[in-house]
Amino acid sequence: MLAGLTPWAALSCGNGLVGLAILLFTPRPAAHVVPALRAPEGPPRSRTAIGVCIRNEDMAGVIPPLETLLDGLPAPHFALWFLSDSTEGAPAEAEAAAIAALRARRPADAARIHLRRRAVNTGFKAGNVMEFLEAEGRDYDHLLCLDADSEMSPAAVRTLVATMEAAPRIAILQQIIVGRPVTAAFPRLFQFGMRAGMRAWSTGQGWWQAEKGPYWGHNALLRVAPFREHGRLEALPDGRAILSHDQVEAVRLHEAGWEVWCVPEEAGSLEGNPPALPEFLARDLRWAEGNMQYWSLLGAPGLTLMARWQLLQAVLLFLCAPLWVLAFALAALIAATGGFDAAPAGLLAGVFLTFWALPAASKLAGYAQVLAQGQVAATYGGRGRFLRGALAELLFALLLAPIRAVHQTGFLLALPFGLRMGWKPQNRADRGVSWADAARLLWPHSLLGALALLAVAATTPWALWFAIPWVGGLVLAIPFCVWTTAPGAGRWLKARGIAATPEEVQAKSRAGSRLA
């Protein structure tokens, strides 16, 4: 089992260490990774459509970040398109009314604000984007592809456009996407760790994959002509649409000789994260279903080794879950039968820590970079505050990991028997989770964790110290779910600046200056 986990662990460690070295020892890491990166010089020469993919969304949360873009990205170079897959009736009517109000509020921009709604959402989001590119999108050079919870700064968009204009072989260009500032404990802690990990991972991955980088499906600038030609996705052999479209689109462009780059810069590209554990687990399963479809594409003729590796990475992201569960079960069985009795405790502890640290290496590297660079730490409120956030997130991740692994494992085992998630409207608003709702979702996880701990305690009590970090999250799954959405928990973290983002620290500083 450990051998099966090694490729992903090695990838995380390698990307993290290479990324850390670049972040620490190069003056401009982003330009080091993406040599074509250019700052804007004057107005753009091209036309860009800002395409926002929406489906039954609360438009009160979608529109404000787009108004910031309209303020900073003038006509005639930029136009806003709402690409709607919303269902007819009340959702579509509310959506149209919100967009009409936006036009009325901004008469100077009314002519460049458009709504395009499909009657049938064939191909889901990928189909929505491609239909636009085949129709109105032909009039544009680029498409800035955004999700409903995306937020980008005008400066970030202008840099992407300037770089695409200077490098005509780039088909997709994106930045690191970080979480929007939040108060609720669950997304606050999750995105703090995700940000650290993505910074080191993307820098390391960008260095060795170079122009054959990944695509994350949103907050990205697409060159319309090559994407329209090579990004079209056919149905799978069983007739189903490809759900995780982004990696396949990137691979198709690689194969056609086009470049896909990720700029390892954080400023100006944000997204919303699931507000609570139930939404987070549901998103995980949607992604798992889509990524598992890549099995049928890995053997496709004509793919290069790098293309196959790109798809395999996405598969390994979820395939590791059942391997972790099985590895723990086998370790418990070996311990119960005396297989570890002769092994020194130090050796066992070393193996345990190694296989915990390797998959987390990119995140640990991201934390190390901030702590090593005082100027970067200052954007988080200083080293002390950042370290408190890192320690809180590591505890959070320790509890979350077994819940996530068991949930993914159950889904992957049921997937061959017809269980599907599909593409459904998402809840993006903060909410609390009741004890009853948490228990309905997580009682299997809690029961499995309790049985595992009892089995270890009954057979090999000395191994409890090793078992608790693996299954403690399962035993505490229900209270963990409730506590991480409790308003008081989020307010407590925010009041102490724990897991604060640079955006939150900057906003607080601006507010303090205004009060002064």
Side-chain angles (χ1 to χ4, degrees):
M1 290 304 103
L2 295 182
L5 293 166
T6 297
W8 183 260
L11 180 67
S12 179
C13 185
N15 283 342
L17 292 177
V18 171
L20 178 60
I22 293 172
L23 290 166
L24 290 180
F25 301 116
T26 57
R28 294 186 62 218
H32 183 84
V33 173
V34 185
L37 189 63
R38 296 289 185 275
E41 298 178 0
R45 303 186 304 274
S46 54
R47 295 191 68 215
T48 299
I50 304 167
V52 188
C53 298
I54 52 177
R55 184 168 186 253
N56 298 352
E57 301 287 349
D58 178 2
M59 298 300 288
V62 175
I63 288 177
L66 300 174
E67 294 204 66
T68 301
L69 281 181
L70 290 174
D71 290 339
L73 300 176
H77 306 289
F78 297 90
L80 176 60
W81 285 84
F82 291 93
L83 308 181
S84 173
D85 266 345
S86 297
T87 52
E88 295 296 333
E93 292 168 6
E95 183 179 276
I99 295 170
L102 174 64
R103 290 195 187 103
R105 195 163 59 247
R106 306 180 65 96
D109 290 318
R112 62 172 178 146
I113 299 174
H114 311 276
L115 170 62
R116 186 183 197 277
R117 181 179 293 116
R118 301 194 298 168
V120 181
N121 65 330
T122 304
F124 305 114
K125 175 185 169 182
N128 193 2
V129 170
M130 187 54 68
E131 285 189 25
F132 169 72
L133 295 182
E134 289 285 21
E136 299 89 346
R138 287 178 175 268
D139 296 332
Y140 298 90
D141 301 289
H142 308 130
L143 170 68
L144 180 68
C145 190
L146 301 178
D147 276 355
D149 59 356
S150 294
E151 182 175 338
M152 292 193 72
S153 70
V157 175
R158 288 197 298 268
T159 296
L160 295 183
V161 170
T163 302
M164 290 275 266
E165 289 180 342
R169 293 306 300 172
I170 298 179
I172 302 178
L173 185 64
Q174 65 198 334
Q175 285 183 233
I176 295 175
I177 309 168
V178 300
R180 293 165 74 168
V182 290
T183 298
F186 185 92
R188 185 181 184 89
L189 290 167
F190 172 78
Q191 66 193 35
F192 187 83
M194 186 71 176
R195 184 176 195 144
M198 285 302 298
R199 182 170 56 249
W201 176 290
S202 298
T203 303
Q205 185 183 53
W207 176 78
W208 67 269
Q209 284 197 202
E211 75 279 4
K212 296 188 181 297
Y215 170 42
W216 297 323
H218 59 95
N219 291 41
L221 193 65
L222 317 179
R223 195 179 299 275
V224 168
F227 195 91
R228 191 178 64 236
E229 181 178 356
H230 303 291
R232 185 184 314 279
L233 303 181
E234 70 284 352
L236 293 167
D238 62 6
R240 289 183 296 145
I242 295 175
L243 298 177
S244 294
H245 57 91
D246 40 17
Q247 299 292 358
V248 182
E249 290 158 346
V251 165
R252 297 282 172 84
L253 287 161
H254 297 166
E255 297 301 291
W258 290 90
E259 299 177 5
V260 178
W261 291 89
C262 175
V263 181
E265 281 186 341
E266 298 175 354
S269 185
L270 299 93
E271 65 176 343
N273 279 304
L277 181 60
E279 284 86 353
F280 177 82
L281 294 176
R283 186 185 73 171
D284 246 10
L285 300 193
R286 285 195 302 272
W287 289 356
E289 180 182 352
N291 286 20
M292 288 303 110
Q293 290 179 331
Y294 294 164
W295 281 118
S296 62
L297 303 175
L298 284 171
L303 293 183
T304 64
L305 185 61
M306 178 63 82
R308 298 185 201 281
W309 172 240
Q310 184 90 347
L311 296 177
L312 184 59
Q313 285 182 68
V315 172
L316 288 174
L317 177 63
F318 292 97
L319 195 61
C320 285
L323 293 177
W324 278 117
V325 172
L326 188 54
F328 173 80
L330 290 176
L333 180 61
I334 293 170
T337 56
F340 292 138
D341 288 353
L347 176 62
L348 291 176
V351 171
F352 175 87
L353 288 173
T354 297
F355 273 88
W356 169 81
L358 286 178
S362 291
K363 179 168 63 180
L364 297 175
Y367 287 156
Q369 179 236 340
V370 175
L371 292 171
Q373 296 180 319
Q375 187 175 1
V376 178
T379 66
Y380 286 87
R383 285 190 174 95
R385 181 176 290 182
F386 180 81
L387 183 58
R388 290 196 298 273
L391 293 174
E393 189 281 328
L394 289 172
L395 176 60
F396 167 85
L398 191 67
L399 295 172
L400 175 62
I403 302 171
R404 191 178 188 183
V406 167
H407 207 75
Q408 290 177 6
T409 299
F411 179 76
L412 292 178
L413 291 176
L415 194 59
F417 302 98
L419 182 62
R420 297 288 183 267
M421 289 296 293
W423 186 37
K424 303 172 184 176
Q426 303 173 51
N427 170 53
R428 305 184 194 276
D430 284 351
R431 69 179 185 100
V433 179
S434 69
W435 286 95
D437 287 342
R440 275 191 291 271
L441 176 66
L442 299 167
W443 70 264
H445 309 65
S446 299
L447 179 61
L448 181 62
L451 292 174
L453 279 182
L454 287 173
V456 172
T459 57
T460 48
W462 64 266
L464 281 172
W465 291 108
F466 296 96
I468 287 174
W470 290 96
V471 297
L474 297 177
V475 176
L476 298 174
I478 294 171
F480 174 83
C481 180
V482 173
W483 180 82
T484 54
T485 59
R491 289 195 297 266
W492 187 88
L493 291 172
K494 185 172 183 179
R496 287 155 181 79
I498 296 174
T501 64
E503 292 80 14
E504 182 181 306
V505 172
Q506 187 178 39
K508 187 175 181 180
S509 176
R510 286 198 300 265
S513 299
R514 286 196 298 269
L515 290 174

